[in-house]
Amino acid sequence: MTTPKPSGTLDATPAPRRGAEAARLALTLLAGLVLRSLHPGQPIAENYVGRQVPTAMVARNLERGSGFLRPRLDTGPFPNYFPVEPPVYQALVVGLRRASGLPLDACGRLTSALAATLAAWGVYAMARRRWGEGPALAAATAFSMLPIVIRYGRAFQPDALMIGACTAGLACWDRAVARGGGRALMAAGWGLMAVGLAAKVTAAYILAVALLAVFPRRDWKAVALCASALLPAVAWYAWASHLTALSASGASAENRDIWMGILGPGALGSGETWRSIGKFLVVRAFTPLGFLGALWGLRGAATGARVWWAWAALATATMAALAAKLHHEYYWLCLAPAAAAGLGAAWGRLDARRPGLAFASALAFAAMALRLSDSTWRTPDEWATLAEAGRAVAEETAPDDLIVAPEALLYQADRRGCRLEYTAAAATRAASEWAPQANLISPLELVEFYESRGARWFADLGVDLLDGDPARTDLHQDIGHRYKIVIDRPDVFLADLHPREPGHAD
C-alpha cells in the first residue's frame, strides 16, 4: 500500500512557492464557498423539496433531543422514523447551529457548502499530484461552478456531504501513497470515507476507485481498509431494520421494498430514463461545454487520468444499477469530481498552447453554468409565500395540533401533521401509511381520513398561487363546503376540521 514518493508532490516544492500555492488554493476554495453560501435564509423549497424537508425535520428533532438512533419525522403516523441513512449530516447541521446561533435552514445550507468545499479540495489535491498546480486549480474552480454542485452544494440534504467527505478521503489516501505512507493521512482518509459512506452508501463505488487506481497493491490490507470504511453504514442498516419495525408508519418498509425492487438496469429500457439522462448529463448537471470539455480533457491527458476514468466508469455503473432513480437530479453529483478533473485537464492543455482560448472557454463555461443554475437562488413561484404561510399557520394553531398540509408548510410552521396529497394515487399511498387501503381514495377523502385520526386543521398555500392546478383549487372549494374556513388569503388557506359548519374568515 506504499510506494516511493513520486516527483511533483508538494514535498518537493520550495517553501515560498508552497505558500503562494496555498494562498491561491484558499482563494479558489473560498470563492466557491461564497458562491454556494449566497442567500442562506431562503426557504428550503427549491430543487428537490421532497428530500430537503424530511432531512430538515430530522435535524430539528435531533436538536430537540430525539436521539441519533431515532431520527424522527413530523408527519404521521407517529412515531415515524426516517431510517434511510444515519443522521450524520443532520448532526453536523445541529452542531453548526449550536456553534453559530444561525437558523437551522441556513446551517443546513452552509454545511452542504462546506462539504462541497471539501470535495473541491480533494479534486485539487489529486489533480495537483498528477498534473501540477494550474490544471488542479482549474479543476477545483470547475467543480465549484458545475450547476449540479451549485444546486446541491447548498441544499439541505446529505448528498454534498457524501461526495465531499468521500472525495477528500480518497485524496488523503492518495497523498499517503504518494508520500510512501503516513498513518495520520490514512486515518484521516478512513474517517472521511466512513462519514461520506454513512451519509449515503451509494458512494461505495469510490472504494473500488481506491483499490483500482490509488493503492498500488490490492492486497488484504488495502481491501480490509476499504471494507472497514463501510462498517458504520452497515451497522446503521442493521439497526434500521429494527427501527422500521418500531415505526407506526408503513412508509419505511414500503420504501425499503421499493429500493430492493428497483436495483438493476431494467429502467434503462425506458425512453423516459434516457430523456432524463440526456437532460442531466449534457445540460443541467454539467452544461454542454462542461460535458464535452471534460471528455476531451480526460481523453487527451497523457498521464494521470486513470483515477478519473476509474471514477467515471464506476460511478456510471452505479448509476446504471440505480437507473430507476436517475430522474432525481442529485444522483448525478457522483460524476462531478471526474467531470471537474477533466475540465481542469482541458483548460490546462489549452492554456499551454493558446491561453486566450483557454480563458474564453472557461468564461463561456462559467456563464453557461451560472445561467443553468440561477434558479436555485430563487424560491419557485409555487412556494413564493411559504414563509408567510408558515407564520400564519403557526399563529393560528397550537403546537400540539395535528395539521393536514404539504410537508414543506408543516416544516415552515414548525408543526406536526399529516401529509397532504392532490391525486387519488398519492392520496391512497399516503393513507396506506396509516392503514392498508383496498380502494383508491380522493384527496378530500384523505383529509376526512386524517380527521378521523385526530387532525384538527387543513392548511395549504393560497389559491392565487395555484393557477393551472385545478385539483388543488377544487380541493380548497370542497374543504370550504365541509369545514370552517379560518383564513382564505392569497398566501395561505386554513380551515378548522372540527367545527363541521361552513364559514369564512375575514
Side-chain angles (χ1 to χ4, degrees):
M1 288 174 54
T2 61
T3 57
K5 180 181 66 181
S7 61
T9 63
L10 293 178
D11 293 343
T13 306
R17 184 178 169 190
R18 286 204 303 270
E21 287 187 5
R24 286 190 288 269
L25 173 61
L27 287 174
T28 299
L29 298 181
L30 180 61
L33 177 63
V34 169
L35 176 66
R36 293 185 297 275
S37 300
L38 295 174
H39 201 357
Q42 175 186 347
I44 52 171
E46 86 291 354
N47 298 318
Y48 195 57
V49 180
R51 192 65 174 87
Q52 293 197 74
V53 169
T55 306
M57 285 181 174
V58 169
R60 187 159 62 191
N61 286 323
L62 187 62
E63 183 184 22
R64 293 172 177 174
S66 67
F68 186 89
L69 294 178
R70 283 177 166 78
R72 283 202 326 255
L73 295 172
D74 290 330
T75 50
F78 303 104
N80 189 1
Y81 298 117
F82 190 69
V84 176
E85 65 257 335
V88 174
Y89 169 80
Q90 294 92 326
L92 292 173
V93 172
V94 170
L96 180 58
R97 172 166 166 73
R98 289 172 177 167
S100 67
L102 293 170
L104 190 69
D105 291 13
C107 290
R109 294 194 182 282
L110 292 174
T111 298
S112 290
L114 289 165
T117 303
L118 260 184
W121 172 82
V123 170
Y124 169 86
M126 288 188 282
R128 169 69 178 81
R129 177 189 166 195
R130 291 160 175 82
W131 298 326
E133 186 200 14
L137 283 176
T141 301
F143 182 85
S144 292
M145 293 299 299
L146 290 171
I148 191 74
V149 174
I150 292 174
R151 287 193 191 93
Y152 295 100
R154 65 184 301 273
F156 204 134
Q157 59 188 74
D159 298 84
L161 179 62
M162 170 199 73
I163 204 68
C166 286
T167 305
L170 188 66
C172 287
W173 285 348
D174 189 60
R175 281 194 161 199
V177 167
R179 292 177 178 180
R183 295 186 179 217
L185 275 173
M186 281 291 184
W190 185 93
L192 286 164
M193 194 70 74
V195 167
L197 293 173
K200 287 197 77 168
V201 75
T202 51
Y205 66 89
I206 297 177
L207 297 175
V209 176
L211 289 172
L212 292 173
V214 171
F215 295 138
R217 292 194 298 271
R218 290 177 285 282
D219 56 16
W220 71 268
K221 292 182 179 180
V223 172
L225 180 69
C226 291
S228 65
L230 278 169
L231 289 178
V234 170
W236 173 261
Y237 288 110
W239 167 252
S241 179
H242 172 69
L243 198 62
T244 298
L246 294 178
S247 180
S249 171
S252 297
E254 182 182 354
N255 288 337
R256 178 189 59 199
D257 294 341
I258 290 173
W259 262 96
M260 293 299 101
I262 67 169
L263 289 177
L268 292 176
S270 165
E272 184 60 35
T273 299
W274 285 103
R275 281 189 287 273
S276 294
I277 290 173
K279 178 175 71 172
F280 293 135
L281 180 63
V282 182
V283 183
R284 279 184 59 84
F286 308 110
T287 79
L289 279 178
F291 172 70
L292 295 174
L295 286 178
W296 183 73
L298 291 180
R299 186 174 179 273
T303 59
R306 180 183 176 190
V307 66
W308 302 116
W309 279 119
W311 187 303
L314 289 163
T316 300
T318 299
M319 295 176 75
L322 300 172
K325 287 283 188 178
L326 293 186
H327 59 286
H328 296 319
E329 185 181 17
Y330 51 83
Y331 279 87
W332 293 89
L333 194 62
C334 70
L335 282 171
L343 280 168
W347 291 336
R349 203 164 68 194
L350 271 179
D351 188 59
R353 300 173 183 175
R354 302 182 64 181
L357 182 58
F359 179 77
S361 65
L363 196 62
F365 166 75
M368 188 176 292
L370 289 174
R371 176 65 186 88
L372 286 171
S373 60
D374 66 349
S375 62
T376 196
W377 289 285
R378 297 195 307 270
T379 301
D381 292 342
E382 177 189 3
W383 302 105
T385 63
L386 181 61
E388 293 83 355
R391 283 192 292 269
V393 172
E395 290 170 359
E396 292 289 339
T397 63
D400 293 333
D401 289 343
L402 289 184
I403 304 168
V404 182
E407 278 186 311
L409 183 52
L410 286 173
Y411 175 77
Q412 195 71 38
D414 195 4
R415 292 292 185 265
R416 299 200 314 160
C418 312
R419 192 176 73 249
L420 179 60
E421 298 289 357
Y422 304 101
T423 66
T428 304
R429 284 197 304 271
S432 68
E433 295 178 15
W434 297 67
Q437 298 299 307
N439 301 310
L440 286 175
I441 64 174
S442 68
L444 179 61
E445 289 171 325
L446 176 65
V447 174
E448 293 171 342
F449 174 87
Y450 286 149
E451 182 201 358
S452 71
R453 265 57 177 183
R456 169 69 193 275
W457 301 92
F458 173 95
D460 200 2
L461 301 182
V463 294
D464 283 10
L465 298 174
L466 307 179
D467 292 341
D469 192 350
R472 293 177 74 174
T473 55
D474 289 347
L475 179 59
H476 287 199
Q477 291 176 359
D478 290 339
I479 292 293
H481 292 150
R482 288 164 175 76
Y483 302 103
K484 182 178 180 180
I485 299 177
V486 177
I487 303 177
D488 187 2
R489 299 199 313 246
D491 59 331
V492 63
F493 180 90
L494 182 68
D496 190 334
L497 300 180
H498 281 191
R500 282 185 162 274
E501 52 183 80
H504 290 269
D506 294 338

Coordinates of all heavy atoms in Angstrom, one line a residue, residues 363-432:
L363 N -14.5 31.1 -19.4 CA -15.5 32.2 -19.2 C -16.9 31.8 -19.8 O -17.9 32.0 -19.1 CB -15.0 33.5 -19.9 CG -15.7 34.8 -19.4 CD1 -15.5 35.0 -17.9 CD2 -15.2 35.9 -20.3
A364 N -16.9 31.1 -20.9 CA -18.1 30.7 -21.5 C -18.8 29.6 -20.7 O -20.0 29.6 -20.5 CB -17.9 30.2 -22.9
F365 N -18.0 28.7 -20.1 CA -18.5 27.7 -19.3 C -19.1 28.3 -18.0 O -20.2 27.9 -17.6 CB -17.4 26.7 -18.9 CG -17.7 25.8 -17.7 CD1 -18.6 24.7 -17.8 CD2 -17.2 26.1 -16.4 CE1 -18.9 23.9 -16.8 CE2 -17.5 25.3 -15.4 CZ -18.4 24.2 -15.5
A366 N -18.4 29.2 -17.4 CA -18.9 29.9 -16.2 C -20.2 30.6 -16.4 O -21.2 30.5 -15.6 CB -17.9 30.9 -15.6
A367 N -20.3 31.3 -17.6 CA -21.6 32.0 -17.9 C -22.7 31.0 -18.1 O -23.8 31.2 -17.6 CB -21.4 32.8 -19.1
M368 N -22.4 29.9 -18.8 CA -23.5 28.9 -19.0 C -23.9 28.2 -17.7 O -25.0 28.0 -17.5 CB -23.0 27.9 -20.0 CG -24.0 26.9 -20.5 SD -23.4 25.8 -21.8 CE -23.1 26.9 -23.1
A369 N -22.9 27.9 -16.9 CA -23.1 27.3 -15.6 C -24.0 28.1 -14.7 O -25.0 27.7 -14.1 CB -21.8 26.9 -14.9
L370 N -23.7 29.4 -14.6 CA -24.5 30.3 -13.8 C -25.9 30.5 -14.3 O -26.9 30.6 -13.6 CB -23.8 31.7 -13.7 CG -22.5 31.7 -12.8 CD1 -21.8 33.0 -12.9 CD2 -22.8 31.3 -11.4
R371 N -26.0 30.5 -15.6 CA -27.3 30.6 -16.2 C -28.2 29.4 -15.9 O -29.4 29.5 -15.6 CB -27.2 30.8 -17.8 CG -28.5 30.9 -18.5 CD -29.3 32.1 -18.1 NE -30.6 32.1 -18.7 CZ -31.7 31.6 -18.1 NH1 -31.6 30.9 -17.0 NH2 -32.9 31.6 -18.7
L372 N -27.6 28.2 -16.0 CA -28.3 27.0 -15.8 C -28.6 26.7 -14.3 O -29.5 25.9 -14.0 CB -27.6 25.8 -16.4 CG -27.6 25.7 -17.9 CD1 -26.6 24.6 -18.4 CD2 -29.0 25.4 -18.4
S373 N -28.0 27.4 -13.4 CA -28.2 27.2 -12.0 C -28.8 28.4 -11.3 O -29.0 28.3 -10.1 CB -26.9 26.8 -11.3 OG -25.9 27.8 -11.5
D374 N -29.1 29.5 -12.0 CA -29.5 30.7 -11.3 C -30.9 30.5 -10.6 O -31.1 31.2 -9.6 CB -29.6 31.9 -12.3 CG -30.7 31.7 -13.3 OD1 -31.2 30.6 -13.5 OD2 -31.0 32.7 -14.0
S375 N -31.7 29.5 -11.0 CA -33.0 29.4 -10.3 C -32.8 28.8 -8.9 O -33.7 29.0 -8.1 CB -33.8 28.4 -11.1 OG -33.2 27.1 -11.2
T376 N -31.6 28.3 -8.6 CA -31.5 27.7 -7.2 C -31.5 28.8 -6.2 O -31.8 28.5 -5.0 CB -30.2 26.9 -7.1 OG1 -30.3 26.1 -6.0 CG2 -29.0 27.8 -7.0
W377 N -31.2 30.0 -6.5 CA -31.3 31.1 -5.5 C -32.7 31.8 -5.4 O -32.8 32.7 -4.7 CB -30.2 32.2 -5.8 CG -28.8 31.7 -5.5 CD1 -28.3 31.5 -4.3 CD2 -27.9 31.3 -6.5 NE1 -27.0 31.0 -4.4 CE2 -26.7 30.9 -5.8 CE3 -27.8 31.2 -7.9 CZ2 -25.5 30.5 -6.4 CZ3 -26.7 30.8 -8.5 CH2 -25.5 30.4 -7.8
R378 N -33.6 31.3 -6.2 CA -34.9 31.9 -6.2 C -35.9 30.8 -5.8 O -35.9 29.7 -6.2 CB -35.3 32.3 -7.6 CG -34.5 33.4 -8.2 CD -35.2 34.1 -9.4 NE -35.6 33.1 -10.4 CZ -34.8 32.7 -11.4 NH1 -33.6 33.2 -11.5 NH2 -35.2 31.8 -12.3
T379 N -36.8 31.2 -4.8 CA -37.8 30.3 -4.4 C -38.9 30.2 -5.5 O -39.3 31.1 -6.1 CB -38.5 30.9 -3.1 OG1 -37.6 31.0 -2.1 CG2 -39.6 29.9 -2.6
P380 N -39.2 28.9 -5.9 CA -40.2 28.7 -7.0 C -41.5 29.4 -6.7 O -41.9 29.6 -5.6 CB -40.4 27.2 -7.1 CG -39.1 26.7 -6.4 CD -38.7 27.7 -5.4
D381 N -42.2 29.9 -7.8 CA -43.4 30.6 -7.6 C -44.4 29.8 -6.8 O -45.2 30.4 -6.0 CB -44.0 30.9 -9.0 CG -43.2 31.9 -9.8 OD1 -42.4 32.6 -9.2 OD2 -43.4 31.9 -11.1
E382 N -44.4 28.5 -6.9 CA -45.4 27.7 -6.1 C -45.2 27.9 -4.6 O -46.2 27.8 -3.9 CB -45.2 26.2 -6.5 CG -46.0 25.3 -5.7 CD -45.7 23.8 -5.9 OE1 -44.7 23.5 -6.6 OE2 -46.3 22.9 -5.3
W383 N -44.0 28.2 -4.2 CA -43.7 28.3 -2.8 C -43.3 29.7 -2.4 O -42.8 30.0 -1.3 CB -42.5 27.4 -2.4 CG -42.7 26.0 -2.7 CD1 -42.1 25.3 -3.8 CD2 -43.5 25.0 -2.0 NE1 -42.5 24.0 -3.7 CE2 -43.3 23.8 -2.7 CE3 -44.3 25.1 -0.9 CZ2 -44.0 22.6 -2.2 CZ3 -44.9 24.0 -0.4 CH2 -44.8 22.8 -1.1
A384 N -43.7 30.7 -3.3 CA -43.2 32.1 -3.0 C -43.7 32.6 -1.7 O -43.0 33.5 -1.1 CB -43.8 33.0 -4.2
T385 N -44.8 32.2 -1.2 CA -45.3 32.8 0.1 C -45.2 31.7 1.2 O -45.9 31.8 2.2 CB -46.8 33.2 -0.1 OG1 -47.6 32.0 -0.4 CG2 -47.0 34.2 -1.2
L386 N -44.3 30.8 1.1 CA -44.2 29.7 2.1 C -43.9 30.3 3.4 O -44.4 29.9 4.5 CB -43.1 28.7 1.6 CG -42.9 27.5 2.6 CD1 -44.1 26.7 2.7 CD2 -41.7 26.7 2.1
A387 N -42.9 31.2 3.5 CA -42.6 31.8 4.8 C -43.8 32.5 5.5 O -44.0 32.3 6.7 CB -41.4 32.8 4.6
E388 N -44.5 33.3 4.7 CA -45.7 34.0 5.2 C -46.7 33.0 5.7 O -47.4 33.1 6.7 CB -46.2 35.0 4.2 CG -45.3 36.2 3.9 CD -44.3 35.8 2.9 OE1 -44.2 34.6 2.4 OE2 -43.5 36.7 2.5
A389 N -46.9 32.0 4.8 CA -47.9 31.0 5.2 C -47.6 30.2 6.4 O -48.4 29.9 7.3 CB -48.1 30.0 4.0
G390 N -46.3 29.9 6.6 CA -45.8 29.2 7.8 C -46.1 30.0 9.0 O -46.5 29.5 10.1
R391 N -45.8 31.3 9.0 CA -46.1 32.2 10.1 C -47.6 32.2 10.5 O -47.9 32.2 11.6 CB -45.5 33.6 9.9 CG -44.0 33.7 10.0 CD -43.6 35.2 10.0 NE -43.8 35.8 8.7 CZ -42.9 35.8 7.8 NH1 -41.7 35.2 7.9 NH2 -43.2 36.5 6.6
A392 N -48.4 32.4 9.4 CA -49.8 32.4 9.7 C -50.4 31.2 10.3 O -51.2 31.2 11.3 CB -50.6 32.7 8.4
V393 N -49.9 30.0 9.8 CA -50.4 28.7 10.4 C -49.9 28.6 11.8 O -50.6 28.1 12.7 CB -49.9 27.6 9.5 CG1 -50.1 26.2 10.2 CG2 -50.5 27.6 8.2
A394 N -48.6 29.0 12.1 CA -48.1 28.9 13.4 C -48.9 29.8 14.4 O -49.1 29.4 15.6 CB -46.6 29.3 13.4
E395 N -49.3 31.0 14.0 CA -50.0 31.9 14.8 C -51.5 31.4 15.1 O -52.0 31.6 16.2 CB -50.1 33.3 14.2 CG -48.8 34.0 14.1 CD -48.8 35.2 13.3 OE1 -49.9 35.5 12.7 OE2 -47.8 35.9 13.1
E396 N -52.1 30.7 14.2 CA -53.5 30.3 14.4 C -53.6 28.9 15.0 O -54.8 28.5 15.5 CB -54.2 30.3 13.0 CG -54.4 31.6 12.4 CD -55.4 32.5 13.1 OE1 -56.3 31.9 13.9 OE2 -55.4 33.7 13.0
T397 N -52.6 28.1 15.1 CA -52.7 26.8 15.6 C -51.9 26.6 16.9 O -50.9 27.3 17.1 CB -52.3 25.7 14.6 OG1 -50.9 26.0 14.3 CG2 -53.1 25.9 13.3
A398 N -52.2 25.6 17.7 CA -51.4 25.2 18.9 C -50.3 24.2 18.5 O -50.5 23.5 17.6 CB -52.4 24.6 19.9
P399 N -49.2 24.3 19.3 CA -48.1 23.4 19.0 C -48.5 21.9 18.9 O -47.8 21.1 18.2 CB -47.1 23.7 20.1 CG -47.4 25.1 20.5 CD -48.9 25.2 20.4
D400 N -49.5 21.5 19.7 CA -49.8 20.1 19.7 C -50.9 19.7 18.7 O -51.3 18.5 18.6 CB -50.3 19.7 21.1 CG -49.2 19.7 22.1 OD1 -48.1 19.6 21.8 OD2 -49.5 20.0 23.3
D401 N -51.4 20.7 17.9 CA -52.5 20.4 16.9 C -51.9 19.6 15.8 O -50.7 19.9 15.3 CB -53.1 21.6 16.4 CG -54.0 22.3 17.5 OD1 -54.4 21.6 18.4 OD2 -54.3 23.5 17.3
L402 N -52.6 18.6 15.2 CA -52.2 18.0 14.0 C -52.8 18.7 12.8 O -54.0 19.0 12.8 CB -52.7 16.5 14.0 CG -51.9 15.5 15.0 CD1 -52.5 14.1 14.7 CD2 -50.4 15.6 14.8
I403 N -52.0 18.9 11.8 CA -52.4 19.7 10.7 C -52.2 18.9 9.4 O -51.2 18.3 9.2 CB -51.6 21.0 10.6 CG1 -51.7 21.8 11.9 CG2 -52.0 21.9 9.4 CD1 -50.7 23.0 12.0
V404 N -53.2 18.9 8.5 CA -53.1 18.4 7.2 C -52.5 19.4 6.3 O -53.2 20.5 6.1 CB -54.5 17.9 6.7 CG1 -54.3 17.2 5.3 CG2 -55.1 16.9 7.7
A405 N -51.3 19.2 5.7 CA -50.7 20.2 5.0 C -49.5 19.6 4.1 O -49.1 18.5 4.4 CB -50.1 21.3 5.9
P406 N -49.1 20.3 3.1 CA -47.8 19.9 2.4 C -46.7 19.8 3.4 O -46.6 20.6 4.4 CB -47.6 21.0 1.4 CG -48.9 21.6 1.2 CD -49.6 21.6 2.5
E407 N -45.8 18.9 3.2 CA -44.6 18.7 4.2 C -43.9 20.0 4.4 O -43.5 20.4 5.5 CB -43.7 17.6 3.7 CG -44.1 16.2 4.0 CD -43.1 15.2 3.6 OE1 -42.6 15.3 2.5 OE2 -42.8 14.3 4.5
A408 N -43.6 20.8 3.3 CA -42.9 22.0 3.4 C -43.6 23.0 4.3 O -42.9 23.7 5.1 CB -42.6 22.6 2.0
L409 N -44.9 23.1 4.2 CA -45.6 24.0 5.1 C -45.6 23.6 6.5 O -45.5 24.4 7.4 CB -47.1 24.2 4.6 CG -47.9 25.2 5.3 CD1 -47.3 26.6 5.4 CD2 -49.3 25.3 4.6
L410 N -45.7 22.3 6.8 CA -45.6 21.8 8.1 C -44.3 22.1 8.7 O -44.2 22.6 9.9 CB -45.8 20.3 8.1 CG -47.2 19.7 7.9 CD1 -47.1 18.2 7.8 CD2 -48.1 20.1 9.1
Y411 N -43.2 22.0 7.9 CA -41.9 22.3 8.5 C -41.8 23.8 8.7 O -41.2 24.2 9.8 CB -40.8 21.8 7.5 CG -39.4 22.3 7.9 CD1 -38.7 21.6 8.9 CD2 -38.8 23.4 7.3 CE1 -37.5 22.0 9.3 CE2 -37.6 23.8 7.7 CZ -36.9 23.1 8.7 OH -35.7 23.6 9.1
Q412 N -42.2 24.6 7.8 CA -42.1 26.1 7.9 C -42.9 26.6 9.1 O -42.5 27.5 9.8 CB -42.6 26.7 6.6 CG -42.2 28.2 6.5 CD -40.7 28.4 6.2 OE1 -40.1 27.6 5.5 NE2 -40.1 29.4 6.8
A413 N -44.0 26.0 9.4 CA -44.9 26.4 10.5 C -44.4 25.8 11.8 O -44.9 26.1 12.9 CB -46.3 26.0 10.3
D414 N -43.4 24.8 11.8 CA -43.0 24.1 12.9 C -44.1 23.4 13.6 O -44.3 23.6 14.8 CB -42.3 25.1 13.9 CG -41.5 24.3 15.0 OD1 -41.4 23.1 14.9 OD2 -40.9 25.0 15.9
R415 N -44.8 22.6 12.9 CA -45.9 21.8 13.4 C -45.8 20.4 12.9 O -45.2 20.1 11.9 CB -47.3 22.4 12.9 CG -47.6 23.8 13.5 CD -47.9 23.7 15.0 NE -48.3 25.0 15.5 CZ -47.5 25.8 16.1 NH1 -46.2 25.6 16.2 NH2 -48.0 27.0 16.6
R416 N -46.5 19.5 13.7 CA -46.6 18.1 13.2 C -47.9 17.9 12.5 O -48.9 18.7 12.8 CB -46.5 17.2 14.4 CG -45.2 17.3 15.2 CD -45.0 16.0 16.1 NE -46.2 15.6 16.8 CZ -46.3 14.4 17.3 NH1 -45.4 13.5 17.1 NH2 -47.4 14.1 18.0
G417 N -48.0 16.9 11.7 CA -49.3 16.7 11.0 C -49.3 15.6 10.0 O -48.5 14.6 10.2
C418 N -50.1 15.7 9.0 CA -50.4 14.6 8.0 C -50.1 15.2 6.6 O -50.5 16.3 6.3 CB -51.8 14.2 8.1 SG -52.4 13.9 9.8
R419 N -49.4 14.4 5.8 CA -49.0 14.8 4.5 C -50.2 15.0 3.6 O -50.9 14.0 3.3 CB -48.0 13.8 3.9 CG -47.3 14.3 2.7 CD -46.2 13.4 2.2 NE -46.8 12.2 1.6 CZ -46.7 11.0 2.1 NH1 -46.1 10.8 3.3 NH2 -47.2 10.0 1.5
L420 N -50.3 16.1 3.0 CA -51.4 16.4 2.1 C -51.0 16.0 0.7 O -49.9 16.2 0.2 CB -51.7 17.9 2.1 CG -52.8 18.4 1.1 CD1 -54.1 17.8 1.4 CD2 -52.9 19.9 1.2
E421 N -51.9 15.4 -0.1 CA -51.7 15.0 -1.5 C -52.8 15.4 -2.3 O -53.9 15.7 -1.8 CB -51.5 13.4 -1.6 CG -50.3 12.9 -0.8 CD -49.0 13.2 -1.4 OE1 -48.9 13.9 -2.4 OE2 -47.9 12.9 -0.8
Y422 N -52.6 15.5 -3.7 CA -53.6 16.1 -4.5 C -54.1 15.2 -5.6 O -54.9 15.6 -6.5 CB -52.9 17.4 -5.2 CG -52.4 18.3 -4.1 CD1 -51.1 18.4 -3.8 CD2 -53.3 19.1 -3.4 CE1 -50.6 19.3 -2.9 CE2 -52.8 20.0 -2.4 CZ -51.5 20.1 -2.2 OH -51.0 20.9 -1.2
T423 N -53.6 13.9 -5.7 CA -54.1 13.0 -6.7 C -54.6 11.7 -5.9 O -54.2 11.5 -4.8 CB -53.0 12.6 -7.7 OG1 -52.0 11.8 -7.0 CG2 -52.4 13.8 -8.4
A424 N -55.5 11.0 -6.6 CA -56.0 9.8 -6.0 C -54.9 8.8 -5.6 O -54.9 8.2 -4.6 CB -57.1 9.1 -6.8
A425 N -54.0 8.6 -6.6 CA -52.9 7.6 -6.3 C -52.0 8.0 -5.1 O -51.7 7.2 -4.3 CB -52.1 7.4 -7.6
A426 N -51.6 9.3 -5.1 CA -50.8 9.8 -4.0 C -51.6 9.8 -2.7 O -51.0 9.4 -1.6 CB -50.3 11.2 -4.3
A427 N -52.9 10.1 -2.7 CA -53.7 10.1 -1.5 C -53.8 8.7 -1.0 O -53.8 8.5 0.3 CB -55.1 10.7 -1.8
T428 N -54.0 7.7 -1.8 CA -54.1 6.3 -1.4 C -52.8 5.9 -0.8 O -52.8 5.2 0.3 CB -54.5 5.4 -2.6 OG1 -55.7 5.9 -3.2 CG2 -54.7 4.0 -2.1
R429 N -51.7 6.2 -1.4 CA -50.4 5.8 -0.8 C -50.2 6.5 0.6 O -49.7 5.8 1.5 CB -49.2 6.3 -1.7 CG -49.0 5.4 -2.9 CD -47.7 5.6 -3.5 NE -47.4 7.0 -3.9 CZ -47.8 7.5 -5.0 NH1 -48.4 6.8 -6.0 NH2 -47.5 8.8 -5.3
A430 N -50.6 7.8 0.7 CA -50.4 8.4 2.0 C -51.3 7.8 3.1 O -50.8 7.6 4.2 CB -50.8 9.9 1.8
A431 N -52.5 7.5 2.7 CA -53.4 6.8 3.7 C -52.9 5.4 4.1 O -53.1 5.0 5.2 CB -54.8 6.7 3.2
S432 N -52.3 4.7 3.1 CA -51.8 3.4 3.4 C -50.7 3.4 4.4 O -50.4 2.3 5.0 CB -51.4 2.7 2.1 OG -50.2 3.3 1.6

